[in-house]
Amino acid sequence: PGSLHEPLRGSELVYHSAAPFPPSIRNAEHAEQVVEGCVQGTTNVITAASQGGVRRVVVTSSMAAVRGPGCQPAKGSTYFTVKDWNRSSQRSGSGMEPYQWAKREAEEVAREIGQDLGLEVVSVLPTFLMGPTKRKNTTSSALVKR
């Protein structure tokens, strides 16, 4: 966690865009690794940014934070807000539910810690990413290849 303090010192803005995104979740142990990597990684970045004097952190989250099984925007709305957190995905659920749960939890934690530390936190919730990847088969790159 402390490895980020020095590199962030003197920065005004930090973009946090890293989170485990597996093509599938194999078992409960793998699900826990995804959850911990996402939530703890975000916590570490927000805390280090505050300690380094950063003014704003932009968190690249995911629509998964607000869109899960059965989730819809608030009645009468055509868009999601922080009032629409994905509460249907489970930490130890099946399929991609642990990832969806982790993205929501990480974003909530980022906002809470940021508020407590006086740090401005902004989230971007992309629905689909395209372009070169370091791995052959992330979920979205596999779709593009087809």
Side-chain angles (χ1 to χ4, degrees), residues 5-17:
H5 295 165
E6 191 56 38
L8 297 182
R9 191 177 318 271
S11 298
E12 288 185 36
L13 174 66
V14 170
Y15 289 94
H16 175 48
S17 60

Side-chain angles (χ1 to χ4, degrees), residues 15-112:
Y15 289 94
H16 175 48
S17 60
F21 183 63
S24 65
I25 295 178
R26 298 182 298 274
N27 54 41
E29 182 180 341
H30 186 222
E32 195 57 31
Q33 290 172 349
V34 169
V35 166
E36 287 303 313
C38 187
V39 176
Q40 193 58 52
T42 300
T43 299
N44 292 346
V45 168
I46 299 295
T47 303
S50 174
Q51 292 172 350
V54 171
R55 180 180 56 82
R56 175 186 279 182
V57 176
V58 177
V59 175
T60 303
S61 183
S62 168
M63 278 299 294
V66 291
R67 182 78 172 104
C71 295
Q72 297 294 326
K75 188 171 178 122
S77 179
T78 57
Y79 55 89
F80 291 97
T81 72
V82 293
K83 296 176 183 173
D84 300 307
W85 291 119
N86 173 359
R87 301 280 180 210
S88 62
S89 294
Q90 302 296 312
R91 181 181 182 123
S92 58
S94 61
M96 292 305 290
E97 281 191 56
Y99 171 78
Q100 294 167 320
W101 186 93
K103 293 306 286 187
R104 188 232 351 122
E105 181 70 11
E107 191 171 338
E108 284 187 321
V109 165
R111 290 174 177 279
E112 289 170 14

